Amino acid sequence: MDKEPTSPPSDEFKRELARDLNDAFEVTQFFLVYQPTIDLQTSAFAGVEALLRWRHPRHGVLAPDAFIDVLDASGRIAEVSRWALATACAQGSAWHDKGYRFAVSVNVSSRQFALASFVSDVANALNESRFDPSLLVLEFSQSTLAREEAKATKKLDDLKQLGVRISVDDFVPGSSTFETLDSLGVDIVKLARPFVADLLSSVNSITLVHELVRQSDAHHVQVIASGVEDAEQRERLANENVHAGQGYFFSEPHEASEIDRFLEDFAIFSGKPL
Ligand code: G
Ligand code: G
Ligand code: MN
């Protein structure tokens, strides 16, 4: 896959992208890549996170950090949101039909969540794909959930009624009480990448993870570490009973066909039915 840009986009670049956006819809330059999540206790394949990409005609493959603001401001976020949900659910359903049964996570921005149609968009994506709702995970940032708290709670309730699971992305232990997480119906917390990166050098971080896992177990919340980049981190997280991990140590994000190959290799490697 093309190398992804890491520096924040300049205003000029954003203006250029805003002009190019119409083409992106017309010739479907958007696509999803999927990054595996691995169960840290059993090493089983636990799921994938769907990540949006734009194959730009001049700039190569762009990650959302480069264009999500442009998209949010374009008034076409609903279209992309529906497309991403429908595509991820259809892909999840296709994996299911092949005999693989694992969760598919989709990231939801504040703008997407604020759409009046958001809950029905999710319901439609599930109905059309026949994807098992309990295998669809919606990832929200803490700030998205904190905004318009009363409205958010109602929408999350409606989503939970559909049977989908709710995940908090970029979670830093200690930043939110379990009273709050429970009231929002949170099923999963994803440890923030910088927090995981500090884990080996910070005694304080280890204490925080330890306490988080203890409380998560009591509240039936799953803890997933993101940005796991080496064996030492994996080991430490597994020792602290963190449930699952995601990161370059296991796999980069890949297109669905490559995930299929990964799954075949994985089944042989782990010797476990998936
Ligand atoms: O893989 P990566 O560079 O794509 O992700 C960068 C950021 O973009 C992450 O914080 C991720 O949550 C967000 N992101 C990835 N895919 C999507 C998507 O489909 N919708 C939204 N709203 N955000 C996404
Ligand atoms: O915020 P969110 O978790 O949705 O972000 C996913 C982002 O993290 C994507 O940009 C993805 O490419 C990136 N990513 C995934 N695994 C790793 C990793 O091990 N290290 C680093 N530095 N980035 C990662
Ligand atoms: Mn995410």
Side-chain angles (χ1 to χ4, degrees), residues 66-85:
F67 63 83
I68 206 88
D69 289 351
V70 172
L71 199 56
D72 268 347
S74 73
R76 302 188 72 166
I77 191 74
E79 254 170 285
V80 177
S81 180
R82 284 186 202 118
W83 172 84
L85 281 165

Side-chain angles (χ1 to χ4, degrees), residues 23 42 71 137 148 201:
D23 295 343
T42 65
L71 199 56
V137 176
E148 304 179 73
S201 56

